[in-house]
Amino acid sequence: MNTNRVNNQKIKQIMMLREDRNLLVVAHLSQLLDLVTGIGGFIVPLILWLTQRDKVLNMDEHGKQILNFQISAFIYSIICIPLIFLFGLGILALIALGLLVLIFPIINAIKASNGEPTYYPLSIQFLK
């Protein structure tokens, strides 16, 4: 009997969520603020995820993917710094990372606007 009540509450909660693909697109594209502000690409998606994850359909999933990608990119960039002294491999890795950070938010924003699943490569799953 208790399981039915829990299932009914979950169904009601899911039905109360609104679909807002434009907000998902904004969340993905807001990562590009890193190129301008340095940390805005982490702060803005974090705020959107924390405030909208219980109100917008799929915001919880997209927000976690975005934050995992941002944290992973930060860790990879920190790892690249000592690699600069090793035959300049860190510079090549930073260039590749910069391209990933520029290209994949745009690709995933387009996918989010079409309702397709998104994917960020090399993303460590900190938030599940």
Side-chain angles (χ1 to χ4, degrees):
M1 199 80 169
N2 246 351
T3 4
N4 286 338
R5 183 191 295 179
V6 171
N7 287 338
N8 287 340
Q9 288 176 347
K10 287 182 181 179
I11 291 171
K12 286 180 185 177
Q13 184 181 18
I14 291 172
M15 292 178 72
M16 292 176 66
L17 295 175
R18 72 179 198 279
E19 184 176 18
D20 192 352
R21 290 185 184 171
N22 290 334
L23 190 60
L24 295 176
V25 169
V26 167
H28 285 283
L29 290 178
S30 67
Q31 295 177 79
L32 299 177
L33 288 172
D34 275 344
L35 303 173
V36 178
T37 63
I39 193 157
F42 179 77
I43 299 295
V44 173
L46 177 65
I47 292 170
L48 287 174
W49 176 63
L50 289 174
T51 59
Q52 301 297 316
R53 66 180 169 192
D54 296 330
K55 299 174 186 171
V56 176
L57 186 66
N58 294 327
M59 178 56 89
D60 190 40
E61 176 187 333
H62 286 262
K64 288 177 183 177
Q65 286 182 354
I66 292 168
L67 294 174
N68 284 332
F69 182 65
Q70 285 291 310
I71 294 168
S72 299
F74 177 73
I75 290 171
Y76 293 141
S77 64
I78 296 298
I79 291 172
C80 288
I81 292 171
L83 291 177
I84 291 174
F85 300 111
L86 185 67
F87 304 115
L89 293 177
I91 294 173
L92 295 175
L94 281 173
I95 292 170
L97 183 62
L99 289 173
L100 287 176
V101 169
L102 177 67
I103 293 171
F104 274 94
I106 296 170
I107 290 171
N108 286 323
I110 294 168
K111 285 184 176 184
S113 71
N114 294 332
E116 300 172 15
T118 58
Y119 171 73
Y120 286 99
L122 304 173
S123 184
I124 303 168
Q125 299 301 311
F126 294 104
L127 305 170
K128 293 184 181 187

